[in-house]
Amino acid sequence: MSVNDACPCNSGKNYDDCCGPILSGAKKAETAEALMRSRYTAHVEGNFDHVANTHASEARATYNKSAAEAQSKNTTWVGLEIIETTDGGVDDETGTVTFTARFEENGKLHAHRERGEFRRENGEWMYVDGKINPQIEPRRVDKVGRNDPCPCGSGKKYKKCCGAG
C-alpha cells in the first residue's frame, strides 16, 4: 500500500495515517477501535502475525494461525463497518467494539458481525474474545392509551388527536 491509498478498514484515512504504522510496528494502537481496524486490515493483507500477536494472553493458545491462513486463500475482505464502540479510549483499560466485516468467499458475499472485547496488557490493547451475531438492545416504546394525553403536546386525548384514524 502507498501513502495515498485509502486504508482497507474504511476509516476514511490514508493507510499510512491509519493502520499502516500499527501493522508495521512503528506505533501501537491508541484505542480498542484502532486495534480492531488494524486486525481487519491485517486479514485483508494476510498479516496473520499481527492478528496472532494482538490476542490477549489467554486467547493466544487457541488461535490457529495456519487455519486462518488456509481459509484466507478463498476469502476477499470487502469492507468493515464499526457499529458501536463502548469505552476502549486512550485512558481506558477495557472496551468493546461491535462491527460487521464483509467478505466474499467462494463467490458468495458474507457478513461477520461481532462484539469484540478488548483490554490493555502491559499498556497495549489486545483482543480478548468476541460474541458472534450479538443481539442489539430492542427499542422500548411506551404504549399510549386511548384516553391518555397525546404525546404530541396538543392537550387533547390521544384518541381524538394522533390516535384518530
Side-chain angles (χ1 to χ4, degrees):
M1 302 224 131
S2 74
V3 73
N4 292 322
D5 286 337
C7 193
C9 77
N10 292 340
S11 65
K13 298 177 184 176
N14 291 332
Y15 178 78
D16 286 348
D17 295 327
C18 192
C19 294
I22 298 169
L23 289 165
S24 72
K27 78 175 206 175
K28 302 295 180 191
E30 294 180 0
T31 65
E33 182 178 326
L35 182 64
M36 177 59 242
R37 289 181 179 281
S38 75
R39 287 171 56 86
Y40 172 83
T41 300
H43 278 90
V44 171
E45 295 181 348
N47 182 347
F48 295 101
D49 285 335
H50 178 73
V51 177
N53 294 334
T54 56
H55 273 83
S57 53
E58 71 273 15
R60 276 191 200 118
T62 60
Y63 177 67
N64 187 335
K65 182 178 158 189
S66 59
E69 289 171 331
Q71 183 182 11
S72 74
K73 296 194 184 326
N74 298 320
T75 304
T76 302
W77 294 94
V78 296
L80 176 68
E81 175 188 2
I82 303 295
I83 298 165
E84 179 182 53
T85 300
T86 305
D87 299 326
V90 294
D91 295 325
D92 294 319
E93 291 298 314
T94 62
T96 62
V97 180
T98 304
F99 65 93
T100 301
R102 290 181 174 71
F103 61 98
E104 187 178 300
E105 190 171 66
N106 299 320
K108 293 184 180 177
L109 191 60
H110 302 276
H112 171 88
R113 185 179 173 125
E114 180 178 330
R115 179 175 297 124
E117 300 286 335
F118 296 83
R119 78 160 180 263
R120 288 189 192 267
E121 285 185 2
N122 301 317
E124 294 183 32
W125 283 107
M126 296 289 165
Y127 172 80
V128 177
D129 197 2
K131 181 174 181 172
I132 308 299
N133 294 322
Q135 295 297 313
I136 304 276
E137 188 67 31
R139 189 174 69 146
R140 305 231 180 253
V141 178
D142 291 331
K143 185 173 179 178
V144 179
R146 292 176 30 87
N147 290 315
D148 290 338
C150 192
C152 77
S154 68
K156 297 179 183 177
K157 287 185 178 181
Y158 177 70
K159 68 181 179 186
K160 297 282 188 181
C161 191
C162 294

